[in-house]
Amino acid sequence: SQQGEEDPQALSIQEGENATMNCSYKTSINNLQWYRQNSGRGLVHLILIRSNEREKHSGRLRVTLDTSKKSSSLLITASRAADTASYFCATGLGNQGGKLIFGQGTELSVKP
Amino acid sequence: DAMVIQNPRYQVTQFGKPVTLSCSQTLNHNVMYWYQQKSSQAPKLLFHYYDKDFNNEADTPDNFQSRRPNTSFCFLDIRSPGLGDAAMYLCATSRDWAFGGRLDQPQHFGDGTRLSIL
């Protein structure tokens, strides 16, 4: 099964609302990263949180990491229609250099 | 702006006809990756290069090969494409690789090549 599993698979909200996506993983990690993918495009790196960090912010994004529960969450505040995309978590594993294992993604739809 | 560029954006080939996808980068990164992404699925790593050292994932089919003639360019060759190889192929880079150790770096992706098989 996947190292990273995301929940929910799909999320539909109104503009201005907050969106929360969750990621769970199975093995010990060095870091956890979140990426955005617009339809038909490549992935764009959003934020990286190291295993010894608990929370990180970047603009309207807030990421938390709970290594005891092997889980992370991505919060997008005051969402906009332009935030409509798929969001993937990816884990950097202990002894595998720069390799990332991606989760299945959450498809976010923000309605104007 | 420094970036990762994939050409073409869309590629159509016939069943069994070899096809090559290309990727170039202006980031001067040491590591280049190729991922396969099928519809509504996670990107799956096929292989990566650290400089000229090629590293294949254990479950990457032999049908997939790669070349990296220099730092800037990397190619994905599919020798005999089957219908199951229709997918988005993503190229990515990262500055470094940590052999047997920790690395906390993001990857930088191109916009992908969508491959269709007739």
Side-chain angles (χ1 to χ4, degrees), chain A residues 83-102:
Chain A
D83 295 328
T84 295
S86 293
Y87 291 81
F88 293 89
C89 69
T91 49
L93 304 180
N95 63 350
Q96 297 193 39
K99 181 175 175 176
L100 295 177
I101 306 294
F102 284 85

Side-chain angles (χ1 to χ4, degrees), chain B residues 52-79:
Chain B
K52 287 189 179 294
D53 292 335
F54 176 72
N55 296 272
N56 205 27
E57 292 299 301
D59 56 354
T60 298
D62 291 341
N63 201 23
F64 291 84
Q65 305 284 325
S66 185
R67 296 170 282 134
R68 190 179 185 187
N70 54 53
T71 300
S72 300
F73 285 88
C74 197
F75 300 99
L76 170 63
D77 300 309
I78 309 177
R79 291 192 297 188

Side-chain angles (χ1 to χ4, degrees), chain B residues 36-52:
Chain B
Q36 179 192 63
Q37 186 182 27
K38 296 189 176 179
S39 182
S40 299
Q41 293 186 21
K44 178 178 178 297
L45 183 64
L46 295 173
F47 23 61
H48 78 271
Y49 274 94
Y50 172 75
D51 196 12
K52 287 189 179 294

Side-chain angles (χ1 to χ4, degrees), chain A residues 24-54:
Chain A
S24 61
Y25 57 91
K26 292 182 170 57
T27 62
S28 155
I29 62 170
N30 291 330
N31 64 73
L32 189 142
Q33 304 184 29
W34 286 90
Y35 288 80
R36 184 187 75 231
Q37 185 177 35
N38 289 82
S39 180
R41 306 295 294 270
L43 280 77
V44 174
H45 180 259
L46 297 175
I47 203 161
L48 182 154
I49 187 164
R50 293 178 174 80
S51 57
N52 61 351
E53 297 174 315
R54 291 296 165 257

Side-chain angles (χ1 to χ4, degrees), chain A residues 1 5 16 23 34 41 43 63-64 71 75 83 92 95-96 99 107-109 112:
Chain A
S1 59
E5 296 188 359
C23 171
W34 286 90
R41 306 295 294 270
L43 280 77
V63 168
T64 61
S71 68
L75 169 66
D83 295 328
N95 63 350
Q96 297 193 39
K99 181 175 175 176
E107 194 172 325
L108 174 65
S109 174

